[in-house]
């Protein structure tokens, strides 16, 4: 399999990724996110991840819109990423599902 080449990759993005990878607890994540993002940026990212989760669970666009408040444009964009993107959403959702199954 070929190495993934991101359109975002640069030294500053590497530094950001490395910083995120150092975080070990939810509290550390909350502290970091509150410092680095605006509340609106965090809310937008939360919404996209929620949309991705619901799409992966086969919810309809209308149900997703009702539950998340996301526009059809946002839902469509997330769906496109799930199906044709870099597999970032799928990787995270798959790992979250495995982790949640372990907790039960």
């Amino acid at each position: 399999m070929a190495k993934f080449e991101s359109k975002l990759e640069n030294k500053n993005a590497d530094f950001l990724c490395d910083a995120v990878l150092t975080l070990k607890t939810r509290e550390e994540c909350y502290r970091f996110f509150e410092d680095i993002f605006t509340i609106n940026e965090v809310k937008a990212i939360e919404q996209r991840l929620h949309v991705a989760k619901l799409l992966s669970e086969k919810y309809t666009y209308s149900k997703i819109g009702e539950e998340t408040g996301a526009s059809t444009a946002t839902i469509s964009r997330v769906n496109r990423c799930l199906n044709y993107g870099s597999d970032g959403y799928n990787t995270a959702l798959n790992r979250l599902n495995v982790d949640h199954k372990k907790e039960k």
Side-chain angles (χ1 to χ4, degrees), residues 45-101:
I45 292 166
E46 286 173 8
Q47 182 186 62
R48 288 183 210 137
L49 186 57
H50 191 186
V51 166
K53 178 181 179 289
L54 296 178
L55 283 167
S56 73
E57 294 172 355
K58 307 299 184 205
Y59 279 62
T60 64
Y61 276 37
S62 60
K63 279 285 194 199
I64 293 169
E66 286 174 25
E67 187 164 327
T68 66
S71 68
T72 54
T74 295
I75 298 168
S76 180
R77 181 182 182 284
V78 171
N79 192 47
R80 195 169 40 255
C81 289
L82 282 170
N83 292 305
Y84 307 107
S86 303
D87 256 354
Y89 280 122
N90 290 317
T91 299
L93 291 171
N94 288 337
R95 289 182 184 163
L96 285 166
N97 282 334
V98 168
D99 289 345
H100 287 294
K101 287 177 185 171

Side-chain angles (χ1 to χ4, degrees), residues 11-78:
K11 283 185 180 186
N12 290 328
D14 288 349
F15 189 65
L16 174 61
C17 290
D18 292 343
V20 169
L21 290 168
T22 67
L23 304 172
K24 292 183 174 45
T25 66
R26 253 192 210 130
E27 181 179 337
E28 287 179 354
C29 289
Y30 281 125
R31 289 174 178 274
F32 184 70
F33 294 163
E34 281 191 31
D35 284 347
I36 200 165
F37 297 119
T38 66
I39 291 172
N40 288 338
E41 289 167 335
V42 172
K43 295 294 180 194
I45 292 166
E46 286 173 8
Q47 182 186 62
R48 288 183 210 137
L49 186 57
H50 191 186
V51 166
K53 178 181 179 289
L54 296 178
L55 283 167
S56 73
E57 294 172 355
K58 307 299 184 205
Y59 279 62
T60 64
Y61 276 37
S62 60
K63 279 285 194 199
I64 293 169
E66 286 174 25
E67 187 164 327
T68 66
S71 68
T72 54
T74 295
I75 298 168
S76 180
R77 181 182 182 284
V78 171

